[in-house]
Amino acid sequence: MKIAIVGAGNVGGALGLAWAQKAGHEICFGVRDAKADGVQALMRAIGSKARAGSVAEAAALADVIILSTPWPAAEAAIRAMGNIKGKLILDATNPLARGPDGISLEIGHSISAGEKVQGWAAGASVFKTLNTTGFGNMANPVYNGVKSVMFVAGDDAANKPKVIELVSQLGFDVVDAGPLRNARLLEAHAMLWIDLAVARGQGRDFAFALLRR
Ligand SMILES: NC(=O)c1ccc[n+]([C@@H]2O[C@H](COP(=O)([O-])OP(=O)(O)OC[C@H]3O[C@@H](n4cnc5c(N)ncnc54)[C@H](OP(=O)(O)O)[C@@H]3O)[C@@H](O)[C@H]2O)c1
């Protein structure tokens, strides 16, 4: 499969490398500067399965687009994609704000980043996923033989199995978390991981799992 990744930073880089290495997918990074050191390092790490172009070029090449920009850049990045009718967008962003008490969510409860992304991405199907754990866990989601959990929320029931399969290929235990409005829950869940990592001394090497009886 051809996957476009818009936002070639910590998250985009980890996902691109993992999908190329674990599942053989072709990765096209949609970037503002294809010659940037970080982009070139990713090209070298992934090898022949990777290429980089403008955001519009990457989006045009792929059926699945990962949105992994900082939240303030999300709307501009989607507008830069051009015609995305019929594409699947996996929204990994979290609407983070920094204030006197540290990092918090800028929006929540009555709207989510995922729903806002869907509002900007007319004609595409947006799924909220890959936002609830650190990028290190996206590279390696397995702890002592146990898969960490990753949720997928989205309204496009016909394409949800495809998204679940794609995220499963990274090594996660993938759970359908319902409609896109449940991005409100997933973004709050992400904030818990961030708070534990940054403010409660857990560091980045921990993850949530779903236990079943
Ligand atoms: N870090 C994590 O562990 C983690 C985990 C889950 C979710 N997230 C979420 O994932 C998103 C990315 O996080 P990150 O840590 O990967 O950030 P990051 O390392 O700062 O990378 C962000 C990337 O987005 C690019 N970018 C910025 N504006 C853009 C635009 N208008 N068009 C195209 N690309 C643009 C930047 O490229 P330039 O070089 O051009 O600026 C950079 O490569 C955030 O929303 C974050 O909340 C992060």
Side-chain angles (χ1 to χ4, degrees):
M1 185 186 288
K2 289 190 172 70
I3 301 175
I5 297 183
V6 175
N10 294 317
V11 170
L15 292 175
L17 192 60
W19 269 318
Q21 290 182 342
K22 293 180 180 176
H25 294 306
E26 291 176 46
I27 309 298
C28 186
F29 292 101
V31 295
R32 298 187 288 191
D33 177 9
K35 293 193 169 62
D37 289 349
V39 177
Q40 287 301 313
L42 270 174
M43 298 289 105
R44 285 193 296 278
I46 299 175
S48 62
K49 295 265 179 212
R51 56 192 292 184
S54 69
V55 172
E57 284 166 348
L61 277 175
D63 296 326
V64 175
I65 304 169
I66 315 306
L67 179 66
S68 49
T69 64
W71 172 241
E75 182 174 3
I78 287 174
R79 306 256 180 246
M81 290 175 192
N83 181 4
I84 46 174
K85 195 165 182 295
K87 310 258 181 193
L88 308 184
I89 298 185
L90 277 56
D91 170 25
T93 67
N94 283 308
L96 303 180
R98 279 170 207 279
D101 295 328
I103 303 172
S104 63
L105 290 177
E106 184 182 285
I107 53 172
H109 298 293
S110 56
I111 189 70
S112 61
E115 291 160 285
K116 281 183 161 278
V117 166
Q118 180 65 81
W120 299 324
S125 287
V126 174
F127 294 86
K128 189 83 204 186
T129 188
L130 296 168
N131 69 308
T132 51
T133 198
F135 65 89
N137 293 329
M138 298 181 199
N140 182 10
V142 180
Y143 281 76
N144 303 316
V146 178
K147 291 180 177 182
S148 53
V149 69
M150 182 52 63
F151 301 101
V152 174
D155 296 334
D156 179 352
N159 280 305
K160 199 180 261 184
K162 189 172 172 180
V163 174
I164 288 174
E165 169 61 19
L166 197 55
V167 178
S168 299
Q169 288 170 353
L170 297 167
F172 285 106
D173 172 20
V174 184
V175 173
D176 182 347
L180 186 61
R181 72 192 301 277
N182 280 355
R184 300 170 196 184
L185 308 180
L186 299 189
E187 290 162 16
H189 186 71
M191 193 58 237
L192 175 64
W193 189 92
I194 295 165
D195 188 74
L196 290 171
V198 174
R200 311 296 144 212
Q202 292 289 340
R204 302 187 64 90
D205 285 323
F206 76 99
F208 298 117
L210 196 78
L211 303 182
R212 300 171 180 85
R213 203 175 296 286

